[in-house]
Amino acid sequence: MKDETQQFDVASHFVSILEKDDTISPGIAAIKTLLMVLEKTKFDTVQEFHSTLQAAVGAMRKTDKPMTSVVSGTELFSRFITLAKFDDKTMDEVREIMLNRGKMFLEKLLESRNVIAKQAITFISEGCRILTHARSRTVREALILAAQNNKRFHVFVTHSAPDQHGEQMVQELENAGIDCTLILDTAIGYVMETVDMVLVGAEGVVESGGIINRIGTVTMAICAKEMKKPFYALVESFKFCRLFPLNQRDLPNEYKYNKKNLKDTTKVHPMVDYTPPGYITLLFTDLGILAPSAVSDELIKLYL
């Protein structure tokens, strides 16, 4: 293999993308990194290509960034770029085809949030009150688009301990002219009876239609169900993952904890939790508005 990857630090490149632009999710950053690996590497065989991509994904998985969308996004990326016919092609031609397909895949993903936002704003009525959790980039885009369409509404945002991402979300929404209230995580039950809907993002969607998201999401979903409030998840299809958890313990530790805490998880809190499909009203995705029960069929199509 003749390449420049010995001088290319995959993990550092991945982390730098996220640090330079916090509107980008880890999954998108991982796909951009794999495209860079493709551009910098010449392969003698397809097997060599797969080995290099797997090594790159492995390097990214050793960072302390959230891993759920990294795993699902890179799996779909690798699958998509290798679906083309490579008969009678030289390896240089194969590499060029993969690069072109990879760029097409990324362009489609970058449009996903806008597609989801356009679906979600039809559910946001004039004067409604919305509860959201922490800082979801996809939820933020939907709310800002609704405001740009001259809809007036109020958003309650959880503080989201321990890193207080809710404060950043409130600032970004208020900068877009949206009325907000920052609430304690423990005030979910108190506020729930006054809201019209719950909008959350997701780091992953599992085969059952349940979601993996910021810790506290399942608490919010249970409360919404009890108070008969619709609970909507806004999530890109590249976050659909081949997992079927039955409870919180079934989530891989790699998804739940920072890398530095993986050796002993008994005295640290998880960063994400699992919300079963029974608590989710609808999923707004770039594939359309889905009931949780439809996710397994969509996953089959994605991985065919």
Side-chain angles (χ1 to χ4, degrees):
M1 178 169 55
K2 306 163 189 175
D3 58 56
E4 304 170 27
T5 53
Q6 288 183 350
Q7 289 78 39
F8 177 58
D9 188 330
V10 171
S12 294
H13 184 78
F14 167 64
V15 171
S16 70
I17 291 174
L18 292 171
E19 290 176 347
K20 288 176 183 174
D21 186 356
D22 73 352
T23 65
I24 294 177
S25 70
I28 294 292
I31 290 166
K32 285 189 170 188
T33 302
L34 291 187
L35 274 172
M36 183 63 72
V37 171
L38 258 177
E39 288 176 357
K40 286 183 171 290
T41 309
K42 290 187 177 181
F43 308 99
D44 295 324
T45 65
V46 174
Q47 184 177 357
E48 202 173 292
F49 155 76
H50 282 298
S51 298
T52 303
L53 245 57
Q54 287 171 5
V57 173
M60 288 186 280
R61 290 175 75 161
K62 290 178 181 177
T63 68
D64 63 355
K65 301 301 180 183
M67 281 296 112
T68 310
S69 65
V70 172
V71 175
S72 60
T74 53
E75 281 185 6
L76 284 170
F77 173 83
S78 299
R79 190 165 187 81
F80 182 80
I81 66 173
T82 55
L83 281 177
K85 293 182 179 179
F86 299 134
D87 298 342
D88 303 321
K89 298 284 193 300
T90 67
M91 283 310 300
D92 282 341
E93 290 172 331
V94 168
R95 177 171 166 271
E96 193 62 30
I97 291 169
M98 287 181 177
L99 263 173
N100 290 334
R101 287 183 65 83
K103 290 173 182 176
M104 285 171 47
F105 185 75
L106 179 60
E107 284 176 13
K108 182 180 177 183
L109 297 190
L110 292 174
E111 181 60 21
S112 295
R113 283 185 200 159
N114 187 46
V115 172
I116 294 166
K118 287 177 180 178
Q119 294 171 351
I121 64 171
T122 62
F123 283 67
I124 299 174
S125 58
E126 182 73 16
C128 73
R129 293 158 69 88
I130 300 165
L131 174 61
T132 190
H133 186 37
R135 177 180 179 262
S136 161
R137 301 170 182 88
T138 311
V139 170
R140 181 191 59 194
E141 186 159 327
L143 294 174
I144 290 174
L145 183 63
Q148 290 171 346
N149 278 266
N150 299 316
K151 292 190 176 186
R152 291 174 297 175
F153 49 91
H154 191 92
V155 183
F156 294 90
V157 184
T158 55
H159 204 271
S160 186
D163 51 20
Q164 292 81 48
H165 278 168
E167 292 182 5
Q168 185 178 353
M169 181 73 158
V170 166
Q171 187 63 57
E172 291 168 346
L173 294 180
E174 287 181 340
N175 288 344
I178 298 170
D179 290 332
C180 297
T181 301
L182 184 67
I183 67 168
L184 295 172
D185 295 359
T186 49
I188 289 170
Y190 181 87
V191 169
M192 188 66 73
E193 63 184 22
T194 72
V195 304
D196 298 294
M197 69 179 77
V198 179
L199 295 181
V200 300
E203 292 191 17
V205 181
V206 301
E207 292 180 51
S208 65
I211 61 171
I212 302 168
N213 195 43
R214 181 80 186 180
I215 189 73
T217 303
V218 67
T219 306
M220 188 178 282
I222 292 169
C223 190
K225 183 83 168 180
E226 179 64 26
M227 296 192 182
K228 297 179 174 54
K229 306 290 183 176
F231 185 93
Y232 302 127
L234 282 59
V235 58
E236 304 98 315
S237 61
F238 76 87
K239 295 180 179 178
F240 285 22
C241 49
R242 292 185 291 183
L243 287 175
F244 204 107
L246 299 177
N247 52 45
Q248 306 299 334
R249 294 185 303 278
D250 284 348
L251 290 183
N253 280 349
E254 179 188 20
Y255 293 0
K256 292 191 289 188
Y257 301 103
N258 286 332
K259 293 295 177 294
K260 62 183 179 181
N261 297 324
L262 281 177
K263 290 183 180 179
D264 182 9
T265 61
T266 59
K267 295 183 180 180
V268 293
H269 66 81
M271 302 304 295
V272 300
D273 57 30
Y274 164 61
T275 301
Y279 295 109
I280 300 169
T281 308
L282 289 171
L283 296 156
F284 294 87
T285 80
D286 48 299
L287 302 177
I289 301 173
L290 306 176
S293 58
V295 169
S296 59
D297 289 338
E298 295 300 330
L299 261 168
I300 290 171
K301 294 175 189 176
L302 286 171
Y303 283 95
L304 272 178

